[in-house]
Amino acid sequence: MNLVHSNCIHKSQFSSSPVSIHGVPPPRINKKKLSAFRVSSLAASMTEVSVDNGTLRRSLTTSVNSQNKALPSRMSSSAMEQLDFERGVCIPFRKYSPETVRNKVLESRGAVASLILRGVEIVWNLGLYWSSLMYDCLVGRDEEVVPFRARQLRNLLCDLGPSFIKAGQVLANRPDIIREDYMNELCILQDDVPPFPNQVAFKIIEEELGQPLEAVFSKISSQTIAAASLGQVYRATLRSSGEDVAIKVQRPQIEPIIYRDLFLFRTLASFLNGISIQKLGCNAELIVDEFGEKLLEELDYTLEARNIEDFLENFKDDPTVKIPRAYKQFSGSRVLVMEWIDGIRCTDPKAIKDAGIDVNGFLTVGVSAALRQLLEFGLFHGDPHPGNIFALRDGRIAYVDFGNVAVLSQQNKQILIDAVVHAVNEDYAEMANDFTRLGFLASGTDVSPIIPALEAIWQNSSGKGLADFNFRSVTGQFNKLVYNYPIRIPERFSLVIRSLLTQEGICFKLKPDFKFLEVAYPYVAKRLLTDPNPALRERLIQVLFKDGVFQWKRLENLIVLAKENVAKMSSNPALQVKKSVPSSRSWQTVSKLDLTDTIKDGARLFLFDEGIRRQLLLALTEDSKLHVEELVDVYRLVEDDIDVPAVAREIVRDFPNVVRDFLLSWSNSVLSDR
């Protein structure tokens, strides 16, 4: 019985571009400043990371003796270094490392004895399950008992504890590792977790607070509001202010259990490395390290509090998104106190409609918020299930539970936008190359067999128009592609896929005929047309020119879609309230498509880029006729959105820079001619 995918491989592709850094505590790092850093600038205080002939080497800024002692740990952490370069993210302060796990687990004789007993328990239970799979294969009933064996696996993971529950939740989103029918069964693990006793939870809260519950909270719920594999949530009221809060408390004694299980996972993986590289094409330790790193991050509630701060910073000027603030003075590594969100569950369409919330406007807000996290911020909510997303009565969308977030580097975000552009242009060869650049395929893999499969998936999904496109159908076909080709899904992108699928499912619940691309495309179109980021300007040019020919119809479609996004967003009641506040300058013109910067940049490009100038002139005179009609059609689409005085002021303000650039361009051309 083929339970595990037999063709996944890992990627060892490194980039010479600057590496962005996402820090975890300690200390607190200003992420806005980090993008200017290169890894080499950290050499004096940390380590120097370099790439030489495809081999990752870490040279420590210590003595030769320290280097010699560090050699074994350097070798064992090579998988972590590969992950950092693959993501385009360096993590200078890491909670997880194989050495840390080993040291914690082997720190005493009692811990070693516990480890041996736990290992026997795991091997015995998994061995019995594996034996039953082998028996099914021998008697030829392996396919007919799949539903039963899948349920059996889910129950087994629950019995083995929180580490295995989390492992099952991860496997539920990894078609490169496990069969789809097993994935569907393991999805149940997302919600079905029993709580632990109140008296135990309250004792943990008091230990973290350093004082009795009554001293901080005037009341606390007698029942849990939600329970998950790592912790559970109560509702309470702060005695000092009367504010309602949510208290997230970690399961008792869970950290030593997690460390112990991770050590056993990685020990087993080390024995399987040779087989996995030969049979699966991927390093088993790499998969365990991805899982362990994310799991230990979720265990640290101080890190979750910092995630909340990052989300608050990202959405501080967005009146359509609510992020609860954390009360850090009442929080610790095992307890997190957050602002209580009094909202409506997103899976209750009747309650949302009864509250007078416009469903279409709310869906637009939700999809736009998700795409901003993914393509703009590079920091996105990794677990947006129905219990973590709420509709507020003023039309806003609210997120809770920020333990599971993922980071995309600037390079990854740009490649994702490239993939969208290549999809629009139906350039499937470049889409396949995007897979390699994102880490789905190993560097040097022949992508030619994958190109027809990608084309078939996209054509089948979008060939009949937006009405027939949905992520679940694309993912189903993509899972088959992953199963048949040497593709490994990096952990951060498995979170992206799960996030999009979950949110699309919520949208279908609210509106059964919901079309994701009808909301997503207008957002992408608006960003391409209005975002001054030079990388996005370059992507806009790629979209507007196909085979060197300017696409007038495509420009018109982009403008129509962008205006549609603005119209839907501006109809949201939360935005109407915000626009009445004079200080919210960035949202006062949201009812109109602001193309001021785009026009200014386009004029500058026309003046200084000879190639673009030639192509635009050819577009206006194509087929030996002036295409004035197309130009007039475009102008009619945007004439109500162009603030002529504002554009004129911007041009006058920028005139000295234009003159300077013109003189520099002219002098460069003169020098190059000589």
Side-chain angles (χ1 to χ4, degrees):
M1 181 179 194
N2 190 8
L3 175 64
V4 180
H5 174 35
S6 60
N7 286 318
C8 69
I9 61 177
H10 68 81
K11 172 177 174 284
S12 57
Q13 177 187 356
F14 306 118
S15 170
S16 60
S17 59
V19 180
S20 63
I21 302 175
H22 180 71
V24 297
R28 184 66 173 158
I29 295 177
N30 187 333
K31 296 198 300 181
K32 289 184 177 179
K33 296 179 180 178
L34 288 173
S35 60
F37 290 168
R38 289 183 183 269
V39 173
S40 57
S41 67
L42 299 173
S45 59
M46 295 164 27
T47 60
E48 181 179 23
V49 182
S50 60
V51 180
D52 181 22
N53 296 327
T55 302
L56 195 62
R57 298 189 300 186
R58 171 172 291 183
S59 52
L60 301 177
T61 56
T62 55
S63 66
V64 174
N65 290 335
S66 298
Q67 290 182 1
N68 292 335
K69 291 177 182 178
L71 184 59
S73 63
R74 213 178 348 173
M75 294 172 63
S76 64
S77 63
S78 61
M80 301 304 301
E81 293 170 340
Q82 177 182 334
L83 286 177
D84 287 347
F85 273 85
E86 184 179 279
R87 296 166 180 158
V89 174
C90 176
I91 303 178
F93 306 103
R94 188 186 299 282
K95 189 173 179 65
Y96 171 88
S97 73
E99 294 78 24
T100 303
V101 172
R102 183 176 63 248
N103 292 338
K104 279 187 173 288
V105 169
L106 302 179
E107 62 185 358
S108 67
R109 291 183 179 180
V112 173
S114 173
L115 179 70
I116 293 172
L117 291 175
R118 178 62 169 170
V120 171
E121 178 190 8
I122 292 171
V123 170
W124 175 258
N125 284 281
L126 292 181
L128 286 177
Y129 180 75
W130 188 260
S131 299
S132 65
L133 293 180
M134 294 300 100
Y135 176 77
D136 293 338
C137 289
L138 287 174
V139 299
R141 64 173 191 179
D142 50 324
E143 291 298 327
E144 63 188 69
V145 297
V146 162
F148 170 74
R149 293 301 182 199
R151 285 194 303 273
Q152 190 180 23
L153 176 61
R154 174 173 60 84
N155 293 329
L156 174 61
L157 296 178
C158 280
D159 293 339
L160 287 174
S163 305
F164 286 83
I165 292 173
K166 294 301 294 185
Q169 292 174 351
V170 170
L171 288 174
N173 302 283
R174 293 298 297 264
D176 54 333
I177 298 176
I178 196 168
R179 288 171 49 140
E180 187 173 5
D181 34 26
Y182 280 80
M183 286 171 52
N184 294 334
E185 182 65 31
L186 293 180
C187 282
I188 300 175
L189 286 170
Q190 308 291 350
D191 303 306
D192 188 16
V193 181
F196 58 94
N198 285 346
Q199 60 268 30
V200 177
F202 295 161
K203 183 180 179 182
I204 292 173
I205 297 172
E206 289 182 335
E207 288 174 355
E208 288 292 313
L209 290 173
Q211 54 186 316
L213 278 177
E214 301 79 28
V216 178
F217 307 106
S218 58
K219 61 180 179 180
I220 187 170
S221 60
S222 59
Q223 299 292 328
T224 56
I225 305 301
S229 55
L230 300 183
Q232 57 196 39
V233 178
Y234 295 88
R235 181 174 184 174
T237 303
L238 289 177
R239 183 172 294 279
S240 58
S241 63
E243 296 172 278
D244 283 345
V245 294
I247 308 174
K248 184 176 180 180
V249 55
Q250 196 174 99
R251 288 183 177 271
Q253 298 300 315
I254 193 173
E255 188 170 284
I257 295 172
I258 296 293
Y259 274 106
R260 186 181 60 191
D261 288 350
L262 286 176
F263 179 81
L264 292 169
F265 287 165
R266 205 174 196 278
T267 301
L268 178 62
S270 67
F271 287 109
L272 296 176
N273 270 339
I275 298 174
S276 65
I277 291 172
Q278 180 183 2
K279 300 284 187 180
L280 304 177
C282 64
N283 189 327
E285 287 181 326
L286 187 72
I287 297 172
V288 173
D289 288 340
E290 281 186 310
F291 170 68
E293 184 180 35
K294 183 57 64 179
L295 184 54
L296 290 187
E297 284 179 8
E298 284 193 63
L299 275 182
D300 188 351
Y301 287 178
T302 59
L303 179 58
E304 181 171 351
R306 296 187 181 203
N307 291 337
I308 291 174
E309 289 180 344
D310 288 337
F311 272 81
L312 280 168
E313 175 66 22
N314 288 341
F315 285 106
K316 66 180 179 181
D317 292 325
D318 191 336
T320 66
V321 178
K322 170 67 177 176
I323 306 295
R325 66 188 181 96
Y327 295 82
K328 298 181 73 171
Q329 68 272 30
F330 302 126
S331 302
S333 61
R334 296 184 296 162
V335 171
L336 178 61
V337 178
M338 299 163 286
E339 178 184 358
W340 178 260
I341 296 295
D342 189 14
I344 304 168
R345 285 180 70 97
C346 286
T347 50
D348 191 348
K350 184 177 184 302
I352 288 178
K353 291 175 183 175
D354 290 345
I357 300 172
D358 174 49
V359 173
N360 288 329
F362 177 73
L363 290 177
T364 300
V365 165
V367 172
S368 296
L371 292 174
R372 288 192 75 193
Q373 293 173 47
L374 184 62
L375 300 177
E376 188 174 338
F377 307 137
L379 178 72
F380 66 93
H381 198 298
D383 191 21
H385 64 71
N388 289 341
I389 301 181
F390 296 90
L392 302 187
R393 285 167 175 78
D394 59 5
R396 290 180 294 170
I397 186 171
Y399 292 90
V400 299
D401 191 358
F402 297 89
N404 190 359
V405 304
V407 178
L408 292 181
S409 66
Q410 183 66 28
Q411 183 184 34
N412 281 173
K413 289 187 293 180
Q414 290 181 5
I415 296 171
L416 284 175
I417 294 172
D418 283 343
V420 173
V421 171
H422 295 146
V424 171
N425 289 342
E426 298 182 350
D427 191 343
Y428 303 107
E430 284 302 317
M431 282 181 70
N433 289 329
D434 293 336
F435 272 71
T436 301
R437 295 164 65 200
L438 290 171
F440 286 77
L441 293 164
S443 179
T445 301
D446 180 15
V447 299
S448 56
I450 299 173
I451 294 172
L454 285 175
E455 182 175 0
I457 289 176
W458 186 253
Q459 292 295 341
N460 289 341
S461 302
S462 62
K464 297 178 183 178
L466 297 181
D468 296 308
F469 182 95
N470 67 74
F471 266 109
R472 190 156 298 279
S473 66
V474 172
T475 304
Q477 296 177 66
F478 180 70
N479 289 349
K480 296 175 183 176
L481 176 68
V482 168
Y483 208 76
N484 293 321
Y485 292 92
I487 296 175
R488 162 184 159 257
I489 301 179
E491 181 267 344
R492 63 196 182 283
F493 288 113
S494 73
L495 287 179
V496 171
I497 294 169
R498 178 173 76 175
S499 177
L500 291 174
L501 280 175
T502 304
Q503 291 180 80
E504 186 187 54
I506 293 172
C507 293
F508 283 142
K509 185 76 174 178
L510 293 177
K511 186 181 179 184
D513 60 345
F514 172 76
K515 308 296 183 289
F516 185 87
L517 285 190
E518 288 183 354
V519 179
Y521 261 1
Y523 166 82
V524 174
K526 187 183 79 171
R527 277 213 69 197
L528 284 173
L529 286 173
T530 62
D531 198 309
N533 187 312
L536 285 177
R537 289 285 189 245
E538 182 181 340
R539 272 67 179 184
L540 176 61
I541 292 170
Q542 293 175 19
V543 169
L544 294 179
F545 288 92
K546 185 177 181 182
D547 299 327
V549 179
F550 189 81
Q551 305 294 306
W552 290 102
K553 191 64 179 176
R554 191 170 286 176
L555 175 59
E556 291 180 27
N557 290 339
L558 282 175
I559 294 171
V560 170
L561 289 169
K563 292 180 71 171
E564 180 183 329
N565 177 267
V566 170
K568 285 183 178 180
M569 290 291 288
S570 62
S571 67
N572 188 281
L575 196 55
Q576 299 296 330
V577 172
K578 189 76 173 181
K579 284 196 295 181
S580 65
V581 182
S583 61
S584 302
R585 181 185 179 280
S586 61
W587 288 94
Q588 285 179 345
T589 58
V590 76
S591 60
K592 297 176 68 175
L593 183 65
D594 187 0
L595 295 172
T596 303
D597 288 336
T598 310
I599 294 171
K600 187 176 68 174
D601 290 347
R604 182 183 277 270
L605 199 64
F606 182 84
L607 284 173
F608 299 120
D609 192 312
E610 184 179 350
I612 293 293
R613 186 165 61 247
R614 186 186 301 113
Q615 287 179 313
L616 286 173
L617 290 173
L618 287 173
L620 287 169
T621 59
E622 191 180 359
D623 298 329
S624 301
K625 66 175 183 179
L626 282 174
H627 289 260
V628 178
E629 185 178 342
E630 288 88 342
L631 196 59
V632 170
D633 290 341
V634 170
Y635 176 75
R636 284 174 178 168
L637 284 173
V638 299
E639 61 178 332
D640 294 334
D641 300 286
I642 296 178
D643 187 343
V644 176
V647 173
R649 283 195 300 270
E650 287 291 332
I651 291 174
V652 170
R653 188 182 297 119
D654 203 41
F655 185 73
N657 294 329
V658 172
V659 172
R660 181 200 63 192
D661 291 345
F662 177 78
L663 291 174
L664 285 172
S665 176
W666 174 77
S667 62
N668 286 336
S669 64
V670 170
L671 290 173
S672 62
D673 288 341
R674 291 183 179 181

